[in-house]
Amino acid sequence: MQSVCQRVDTCSSCLKRQLNAFLGLIKWQRRVVPACVRTIYSETGKWEKSYGSETRKRVENWWLPRIKDQFCKISETDKSRPKFYVLSMFPYPSGKLHMGHVRVYTISDAVARFQKMRGMQVINPMGWDAFGLPAENAAIEHGLHPASWTQSNIRHMREQFDALGLSFTWEREINTCLPEYYKWTQYLFLKLFEAGIVYQKEALVNWDPVDQTVLANEQVDDNGCSWRSGAKVEQKYLKQWFIKTTAYAKAMFDALSDLPEWYGIKEMQANWIGDCVGCSLDFLLKVNGKVTEEKLAAYTYTPEAIYGASHLYILPTHRLLHGNSSLKEVFQREFIPGKDSLTSVTAVNLLTNQEIPVVISAKNNFDNFLDTKIGIPSTSAEDAAVAKNLGISFTEVTVTLPNGLEKVINSGEITGMTRQEALKAITQQAKNKGIGGDLTSDKLKDWLISRQRYWGTPIPIIHCQTCGTVPVPYEDLPVVLPSVTTFTGKGASPLETAPEWVNCSCPRCKAAARREIDTMDTFVDSAWYYLRYTDPHNTDRPFSNDLADYWMPVDLYIGGKEHAVMHLFYARFFSHFCHDLKMTKHKEPFHKLLVQGLIKNRTFRLTTTGQCLKREEVDLTGTEPVYQKTGEKIQVAWEKMSKSKHNGIDPKELVKEYGIDTLRLYILFAAPPEQDILWDAKTDAMPGVQRWQTRLWMLVTKLIEARTSGTMPNPGLLNKKEKAEARKIWDQKNLVISEVTEYFTKDHLFNAAISRLMSLTNVLHQASRPLILHSTEFEDGLATLCIMVAPMAPHIASEMWKGLAHMQNKLCTHHHWDVDVLHQSWPKVDPEYLQPSDVVEMSVLINNKACGKVFVPQQAARNFEEVHELVLQSELGVKHLQGRTVKKAFLSPRTALINFLVQE
């Protein structure tokens, strides 16, 4: 008998060829099976009967590089074909994937594969949100340049993605820290600047008085001290860049009604924006009759009554009293704490040219985030009281007619208009003059994008003593970050240490000038990346209109709920802005939104200090968990997985122990996407999906053995009872196709889809031997099952299909046996099958107690009014609800349930 070494050497060239494309991926699965013991069908042409851990490893090692390459090779965009754009939020390249990453990207991968099998032209792009503070911290702590640290992390995470078999369209990969990407971020900034939507004003920053540097919020500890120096952090005013997102508040609020149901996220967006009933108007400040350089935007709830303004109202905490304003001394001198203080500063309304005094309020806060208001006594009793108390004269500008209609009086050209007409006229005039007028709320603030950091997109602005603030010419983009080598975390921005970069010529007058040394908030980079994916290699513009119009909007956007407000708001803002520039035809960037829950694990904290312990430090044998060393009681809670809390689980270890397909199936099966997964509480899910894979494999083994038994299959040999059993398989196959397709396309309930596929597996396992051998229905049912499993568990499905495809004496001719399973068409319900989904069985609850079911038409099952009426008219409704007072009713279309709350 040859030695193992001799046999391995004999086939080493073969092994090398097979594993060449995979060498970078096997780091997660360190054991490589020698060629001499391979037994899977794809390698040897011999079917392995059982699906144990060794077979699973061989299957995944074989198929992992092959299915990855298959998906990623896509042709040029064919605009005649239907498209599907699935997008998962791109990650920050921290260097290590966590289970939250695995969940979101497994979902997007399954959806992408499913839609491709449906014949759609699919993109599932991936990239890197690569700017950010951690890279700069690494430079300070370890002497690594942010670019080197970031690129190293990207390489490592790319390997981890590949090892999970994820089907990203890597040819569309983007990286926000590369000049070829941030050139276009700068381009969009300049477009905003041209439109008057970017501006500078003073704003507070966290200031470390010891290190003499600006700190991000996350660099300030719970005690308000600097994370590095330990000094008490101060608040300091610096001139900062803002994007006037309030200019799009009303349009973005109104557009929410046109979007499909986002399961609570639309409400979060609406709440973030607020009721857009008023607007800001610009004023020029004067002191002692002299015009100053200070311009001030002030909010009013009633712009139509602007001619009745009596005073401008600012808070004692306003920047004019604490920043670097030339009026600071005047305001501080004339401010009387605790009282409304009438100052000698006046404000000229740039719309009406009225001049009114500035009053410092006795209050510490106005409504929500306002710090400046216009006092209009005609429409506010509070403003009237302030004006009377300070002896400020005012004019009534509204009148109510006997018929209840309110009109505007004493208001120049808008006199005689209704209040609604006057509102439209005033806001439009202000917008035309560029002095405000955009309807917004009192809670939405403009977006502060300045960061006193190195590792971010440089702001393309030059400051000239003669010309003032000058935008960098488009032809000079990108403004590339200079190569800074020393990072201390102290003093001014690291960009200040590159004088050859900072010092430049003014583009207008050619005199000596200085570059802006702030960089942009990383949220700016991620606010338009979905558009760049449509045309990632364009060197002439951010993206082609034609390609953006074809691929947009994103059909399904997947990400964490923590990004459902700010990121989503900024992304929607940029999309609306690009639409107004005629760069895209779609205003809204995302059609459907899937917000997935967290993966949580137990944390063990000492009750005295709150310190998190490792699991192995906790004694769990008693009635209550205690610290092994001291016997101290432990607080146990379910929390998001985190390295610092010692409750994280390394995906690499799970892949090594269970395999890629098992981990994917677990992620999809453990809970609906929007719910949290409690890791240890779902101990049945992991072995459950493992057993299911074994049972799937057994079905293929049964069929292959039957067809190689020497007996030719002949459906005509089935008796009446067996034909009836075959019909049941056919019925179940069609039912499951219908349900699983709906779960994938409508509610994305992958757990329910897997559950239905398990039920089809059970039906096939109950088939008798004659049925397995002679029935077309069994063969078709198993092939269909294999195809539907493929998007979620592509490796085992690919091997099972290969075994079926080379099986002798097949009865089904409509499957494309000559191509792999992931290239099969998604199965459709047979036309002659009477779909039970034409009607829905609606569960009826009364005061939270089940009392029966009512059948309602499928098309009515999601309409509350129709379901409500159908139930009331049904026999069950007449019996249980007639004559009773229904206080409220709730419909849950997703679970086919209606609950009536009635008066007892």
Side-chain angles (χ1 to χ4, degrees):
M1 185 177 176
Q2 277 186 309
S3 72
V4 169
C5 291
Q6 285 173 320
R7 284 183 292 161
V8 169
D9 185 63
T10 303
C11 60
S12 62
S13 61
C14 171
L15 182 63
K16 184 177 180 181
R17 282 197 308 274
Q18 291 165 343
L19 296 181
N20 190 44
F22 188 49
L23 288 176
L25 311 178
I26 57 176
K27 292 179 182 177
W28 280 27
Q29 295 167 305
R30 294 180 183 275
R31 182 176 178 188
V32 179
V33 181
C36 52
V37 294
R38 296 177 305 194
T39 58
I40 66 168
Y41 185 88
S42 292
E43 295 173 323
T44 65
K46 180 184 176 184
W47 182 256
E48 177 67 36
K49 291 184 179 181
S50 60
Y51 190 70
S53 61
E54 286 302 313
T55 303
R56 183 260 299 164
K57 288 175 186 175
R58 292 169 202 157
V59 165
E60 292 185 353
N61 283 350
W62 174 268
W63 284 105
L64 184 61
R66 287 164 175 79
I67 61 177
K68 170 185 168 289
D69 291 343
Q70 283 174 9
F71 196 94
C72 292
K73 291 175 182 173
I74 65 168
S75 59
E76 288 295 313
T77 302
D78 178 359
K79 294 176 193 167
S80 66
R81 287 178 57 196
K83 63 88 183 181
F84 195 91
Y85 183 176
V86 56
L87 178 61
S88 40
M89 294 178 184
F90 65 170
Y92 178 77
S94 60
K96 195 166 188 179
L97 289 184
H98 54 67
M99 288 303 294
H101 288 132
V102 176
R103 188 177 195 191
V104 65
Y105 299 130
T106 297
I107 291 170
S108 69
D109 183 80
V111 171
R113 293 186 189 279
F114 162 76
Q115 293 292 351
K116 191 165 187 281
M117 294 170 82
R118 292 182 81 208
M120 309 294 270
Q121 187 168 215
V122 176
I123 56 169
N124 178 25
M126 177 47 62
W128 311 97
D129 192 6
F131 275 135
L133 194 57
E136 210 157 323
N137 291 340
I140 295 166
E141 293 170 18
H142 307 299
L144 298 169
H145 193 277
S148 304
W149 185 83
T150 301
Q151 292 302 335
S152 173
N153 286 351
I154 286 173
R155 284 193 298 272
H156 187 53
M157 288 180 75
R158 175 75 187 264
E159 289 176 1
Q160 294 172 69
F161 275 133
D162 288 343
L164 286 167
L166 298 169
S167 60
F168 293 121
T169 320
W170 283 112
E171 64 183 35
R172 293 177 181 269
E173 181 181 10
I174 60 173
N175 180 340
T176 62
C177 73
L178 296 181
E180 51 262 41
Y181 181 87
Y182 68 70
K183 170 183 179 177
W184 303 113
T185 305
Q186 293 171 340
Y187 173 94
L188 291 170
F189 176 93
L190 293 180
K191 289 293 182 186
L192 288 163
F193 186 87
E194 285 175 9
I197 295 177
V198 167
Y199 66 94
Q200 267 189 305
K201 73 171 184 180
E202 283 191 329
L204 286 172
V205 295
N206 299 312
W207 180 254
D208 183 327
V210 173
D211 284 347
Q212 292 288 294
T213 192
V214 176
L215 301 175
N217 288 335
E218 57 266 36
Q219 293 176 312
V220 181
D221 67 20
D222 293 339
N223 298 315
C225 296
S226 167
W227 71 315
R228 190 175 301 282
S229 71
K232 198 73 176 174
V233 172
E234 299 171 358
Q235 295 290 293
K236 183 176 178 178
Y237 276 94
L238 286 183
K239 210 163 189 182
Q240 310 264 320
W241 285 97
F242 288 80
I243 294 177
K244 197 186 292 183
T245 48
T246 50
Y248 280 80
K250 185 73 165 69
M252 291 171 65
F253 185 94
D254 291 346
L256 289 170
S257 61
D258 298 327
L259 293 169
E261 178 53 61
W262 281 0
Y263 299 110
I265 304 305
K266 284 208 297 189
E267 288 76 8
M268 291 169 69
Q269 282 282 297
N271 185 57
W272 176 263
I273 296 170
D275 292 328
C276 301
V277 294
C279 73
S280 289
L281 296 169
D282 289 347
F283 289 78
L284 199 61
L285 299 189
K286 295 170 70 175
V287 62
N288 299 323
K290 292 181 181 178
V291 175
T292 69
E293 293 181 357
E294 285 289 351
K295 197 186 263 189
L296 197 58
Y299 188 82
T300 173
Y301 294 97
T302 54
E304 69 275 16
I306 189 61
Y307 280 89
S310 59
H311 58 282
L312 212 60
Y313 218 18
I314 64 173
L315 290 176
T317 53
H318 197 280
R319 64 176 179 83
L320 290 174
L321 280 82
H322 304 280
N324 301 302
S325 168
S326 59
L327 299 173
K328 176 179 175 180
E329 192 177 320
V330 176
F331 280 125
Q332 287 187 343
R333 185 174 62 246
E334 298 179 350
F335 172 50
I336 305 170
K339 290 187 177 181
D340 289 323
S341 307
L342 181 63
T343 73
S344 59
V345 180
T346 57
V348 178
N349 186 327
L350 294 180
L351 183 65
T352 66
N353 292 318
Q354 290 175 294
E355 189 171 339
I356 55 177
V358 177
V359 174
I360 304 170
S361 175
K363 294 181 174 182
N364 290 319
N365 294 290
F366 293 147
D367 292 335
N368 290 311
F369 296 119
L370 297 180
D371 64 1
T372 312
K373 289 199 309 182
I374 304 171
I376 305 179
S378 281
T379 55
S380 166
E382 183 183 343
D383 292 347
V386 170
K388 287 174 183 175
N389 185 47
L390 295 174
I392 303 170
S393 62
F394 58 87
T395 305
E396 290 292 345
V397 291
T398 61
V399 63
T400 304
L401 302 180
N403 62 3
L405 185 66
E406 289 185 278
K407 286 203 168 188
V408 174
I409 58 172
N410 303 321
S411 297
E413 70 276 15
I414 63 169
T415 297
M417 291 185 184
T418 66
R419 286 187 66 168
Q420 193 59 36
E421 290 167 346
L423 173 67
K424 287 181 181 177
I426 285 292
T427 53
Q428 192 58 53
Q429 284 178 31
K431 284 192 278 190
N432 292 344
K433 291 184 177 182
I435 52 173
D438 298 297
L439 287 179
T440 185
S441 73
D442 59 7
K443 64 195 300 186
L444 187 65
K445 295 195 288 186
D446 284 336
W447 178 11
L448 192 162
I449 64 161
S450 282
R451 296 293 180 269
Q452 293 72 40
R453 294 283 168 263
Y454 168 76
W455 196 235
T457 297
I459 294 176
I461 291 291
I462 290 170
H463 300 284
C464 172
Q465 284 193 336
T466 306
C467 305
T469 301
V470 182
V472 171
Y474 287 104
E475 60 269 22
D476 292 346
L477 297 181
V479 177
V480 179
L481 280 171
S483 181
V484 173
T485 55
T486 304
F487 297 86
T488 64
K490 299 180 181 181
S493 164
L495 291 175
E496 285 272 31
T497 65
E500 72 288 349
W501 182 85
V502 174
N503 298 316
C504 62
S505 299
C506 172
R508 287 183 188 160
C509 70
K510 308 305 177 188
R514 284 174 58 85
R515 293 192 186 279
E516 173 61 59
I517 58 167
D518 281 358
T519 53
M520 294 188 211
D521 177 8
T522 56
F523 272 110
V524 181
D525 306 309
S526 60
W528 73 280
Y529 78 115
Y530 51 87
L531 287 163
R532 184 64 176 173
Y533 276 140
T534 67
D535 191 13
H537 307 298
N538 197 323
T539 57
D540 299 321
R541 45 189 166 161
F543 48 86
S544 149
N545 293 50
D546 288 346
L547 288 171
D549 289 348
Y550 171 75
W551 285 111
M552 293 297 291
V554 173
D555 294 281
L556 181 65
Y557 194 33
I558 309 168
K561 198 167 188 175
E562 65 272 22
H563 300 299
V565 176
M566 286 174 65
H567 162 67
L568 203 59
F569 176 78
Y570 298 143
R572 294 181 61 227
F573 165 81
F574 261 87
S575 185
H576 277 247
F577 178 69
C578 288
H579 171 78
D580 282 358
L581 291 184
K582 297 187 167 38
M583 294 172 72
T584 62
K585 71 178 180 184
H586 301 284
K587 272 190 180 181
E588 286 293 330
F590 313 119
H591 180 59
K592 275 193 174 181
L593 188 67
L594 180 58
V595 176
Q596 96 282 353
L598 301 172
I599 298 185
K600 295 182 176 180
N601 203 352
R602 286 189 292 179
T603 54
F604 303 95
R605 294 178 187 269
L606 291 173
T607 51
T608 50
T609 64
Q611 176 193 345
C612 286
L613 302 175
K614 295 177 182 177
R615 187 166 184 148
E616 55 268 26
E617 297 177 305
V618 180
D619 182 358
L620 297 167
T621 57
T623 54
E624 289 185 331
V626 294
Y627 187 23
Q628 283 182 352
K629 286 185 179 177
T630 63
E632 184 183 336
K633 286 185 178 180
I634 302 291
Q635 287 180 334
V636 182
W638 290 99
E639 296 184 52
K640 181 180 177 180
M641 287 187 181
S642 164
K643 187 178 179 181
S644 62
K645 296 174 187 172
H646 304 300
N647 71 337
I649 295 175
D650 190 345
K652 178 175 72 174
E653 296 304 316
L654 292 172
V655 168
K656 185 177 177 182
E657 183 175 355
Y658 298 108
I660 301 168
D661 284 337
T662 303
L663 179 58
R664 288 167 61 98
L665 289 170
Y666 169 82
I667 289 289
L668 298 170
F669 183 56
E674 69 275 10
Q675 290 183 15
D676 294 340
I677 293 177
L678 305 182
W679 187 260
D680 280 356
K682 268 288 181 184
T683 50
D684 58 324
M686 192 69 86
V689 294
Q690 281 181 304
R691 284 193 301 270
W692 181 45
Q693 291 172 89
T694 303
R695 285 167 62 76
L696 287 169
W697 192 273
M698 284 171 59
L699 286 172
V700 177
T701 300
K702 281 182 180 182
L703 185 56
I704 291 174
E705 286 181 342
R707 295 293 170 81
T708 55
S709 63
T711 304
M712 288 294 291
N714 183 355
L717 295 177
L718 296 174
N719 61 34
K720 188 176 180 181
K721 182 183 176 185
E722 289 162 347
K723 286 179 180 177
E725 287 179 34
R727 173 72 190 199
K728 285 181 183 176
I729 290 175
W730 183 82
D731 283 342
Q732 183 69 10
K733 178 205 75 170
N734 280 290
L735 173 63
V736 172
I737 290 172
S738 172
E739 292 178 328
V740 171
T741 303
E742 181 159 334
Y743 288 137
F744 260 95
T745 54
K746 289 190 178 177
D747 296 322
H748 308 292
L749 296 175
F750 307 106
N751 60 319
I754 291 171
S755 180
R756 298 305 295 130
L757 293 173
M758 287 177 170
S759 72
L760 179 57
T761 306
N762 292 338
V763 168
L764 293 171
H765 263 289
Q766 292 163 10
S768 60
R769 180 169 173 76
L771 215 59
I772 297 170
L773 176 59
H774 296 300
S775 130
T776 306
E777 288 82 0
F778 182 90
E779 181 182 309
D780 185 36
L782 180 52
T784 301
L785 176 60
C786 190
I787 292 169
M788 290 194 288
V789 168
M792 296 180 282
H795 308 90
I796 186 174
S798 294
E799 183 62 19
M800 291 192 304
W801 185 264
K802 188 66 77 174
L804 291 173
H806 289 83
M807 177 181 66
Q808 298 174 5
N809 308 316
K810 287 191 285 290
L811 296 172
C812 293
T813 56
H814 62 281
H815 294 295
H816 300 290
W817 296 107
D818 56 332
V819 294
D820 291 337
V821 68
L822 289 167
H823 293 279
Q824 300 299 314
S825 296
W826 186 259
K828 294 179 180 175
V829 173
D830 294 317
E832 60 271 28
Y833 175 70
L834 178 62
Q835 292 189 46
S837 58
D838 289 344
V839 293
V840 172
E841 197 175 28
M842 186 69 62
S843 298
V844 180
L845 278 67
I846 296 178
N847 292 338
N848 302 314
K849 291 181 182 178
C851 67
K853 296 187 177 183
V854 172
F855 288 100
V856 300
Q858 171 74 38
Q859 63 268 27
R862 291 176 175 270
N863 186 299
F864 172 78
E865 286 79 11
E866 290 188 45
V867 173
H868 186 272
E869 193 58 33
L870 287 167
V871 172
L872 291 179
Q873 291 175 4
S874 69
E875 188 178 330
L876 181 146
V878 170
K879 180 179 177 182
H880 294 285
L881 294 168
Q882 199 171 57
R884 302 179 73 180
T885 303
V886 176
K887 293 189 290 185
K888 215 164 191 179
F890 303 92
L891 174 68
S892 172
R894 302 178 75 187
T895 53
L897 178 149
I898 186 166
N899 187 10
F900 291 87
L901 300 182
V902 303
Q903 203 165 328
E904 296 290 359

